[in-house]
Amino acid sequence: MKRNIVIATVAAAALIGGGTATAFAVGGDDDSAANRSSVQLKDHDRGDDDGKDDDRDDAAENTAEAKAAKVTAADAIKAALADTKGTAVSAELDDEDGGLVWDVDLLNGKTWHSVEVDAGTGKVLGSWTEKDDDGDDAADAARVNSALKGATVGAADAAKAGADKGTVTSVDLDDDGTATAWNVETTGAKGAESEYDVDLKTGKVTADHSDDHADHDDQDDNDTDGSDD
């Protein structure tokens, strides 16, 4: 359940008079952390975005990112937990303007944290307390804590299980109030993406075909629309 983030670090700046200034940071991920990543992808590394074949461009980008990352999802989660106390809820390999990082979300009680980990070295580049832009932090936290109650398989365990299927690029708690699994995204040798569910209690890995069903429904809708013309 990757969350839309608004990071609000309230500044008490005294620019005149020698005080210490703390900058406002409002938005999503911190670009400065990505800029410090040891893995900087160039446009040609990620494939040419010529607009003619989006699937091809996406596959090339997925392949480049997966190959460039030297740190696994499981290791990134481990590094984040060593830096910030909490329970890992998600981890995503993220290319921010060329800087490759693992963005790991942690939950400690009712407080959300975002930790960015260098995808090349495993070094923590930054960590922030998060605030959800819809103001539902407490409700989100309660839902996640309820889903993880009694779970024996954590995000890092799910990442390790998914690694048997391909290079893991994302681990996320299934975005459902009655979540029973981790959703793991992998990238194959040719950039093809696959999704798997890892059971929270048993660790059993099964293919996730929910997107296939959605694509099929979209195709049915398009066919229906076309027949009405």
Side-chain angles (χ1 to χ4, degrees):
M1 53 176 297
K2 200 66 181 176
R3 304 162 70 243
N4 293 323
I5 301 167
V6 173
I7 302 172
T9 305
V10 180
L15 297 178
I16 300 175
T20 301
T22 303
F24 260 123
V26 179
D29 301 318
D30 187 5
D31 291 337
S32 64
N35 290 336
R36 297 196 306 273
S37 173
S38 65
V39 182
Q40 296 292 323
L41 297 177
K42 306 301 181 182
D43 288 340
H44 63 79
D45 294 330
R46 292 176 283 174
D48 296 327
D49 185 6
D50 53 18
K52 294 181 180 180
D53 191 336
D54 290 340
D55 290 339
R56 183 196 65 191
D57 292 336
D58 288 345
E61 185 171 346
N62 293 338
T63 301
E65 292 177 5
K67 287 183 177 180
K70 307 302 180 184
V71 176
T72 66
D75 287 340
I77 292 170
K78 182 179 179 181
L81 289 172
D83 176 83
T84 304
K85 184 178 180 180
T87 299
V89 177
S90 68
E92 181 177 4
L93 187 60
D94 198 1
D95 171 11
E96 299 175 11
D97 294 328
L100 197 63
V101 297
W102 281 101
D103 185 4
V104 183
D105 278 353
L106 307 178
L107 177 61
N108 184 5
K110 296 181 180 180
T111 304
W112 293 91
H113 301 277
S114 178
V115 182
E116 291 198 336
V117 179
D118 191 315
T121 66
K123 178 182 178 181
V124 172
L125 299 175
S127 60
W128 303 268
T129 299
E130 298 178 359
K131 183 177 180 180
D132 201 347
D133 59 0
D134 62 9
D136 290 338
D137 295 68
D140 289 344
R143 185 167 63 252
V144 170
N145 286 326
S146 177
L148 293 178
K149 186 177 181 180
T152 58
V153 178
D157 299 320
K160 290 178 181 178
D164 290 337
K165 304 295 184 179
T167 301
V168 175
T169 57
S170 174
V171 179
D172 199 0
L173 187 63
D174 195 1
D175 194 6
D176 188 331
T178 58
T180 59
W182 295 100
N183 179 260
V184 179
E185 294 185 2
T186 66
T187 296
K190 296 183 179 180
E193 291 187 327
S194 300
E195 293 190 32
Y196 298 91
D197 289 332
V198 181
D199 191 278
L200 290 174
K201 294 186 177 181
T202 67
K204 182 179 179 181
V205 180
T206 55
D208 184 340
H209 298 296
S210 58
D211 286 345
D212 294 339
H213 295 316
D215 291 341
H216 179 72
D217 291 341
D218 289 341
Q219 183 62 46
D220 287 344
D221 290 341
N222 291 333
D223 292 343
T224 300
D225 292 340
S227 63
D228 290 339
D229 293 338

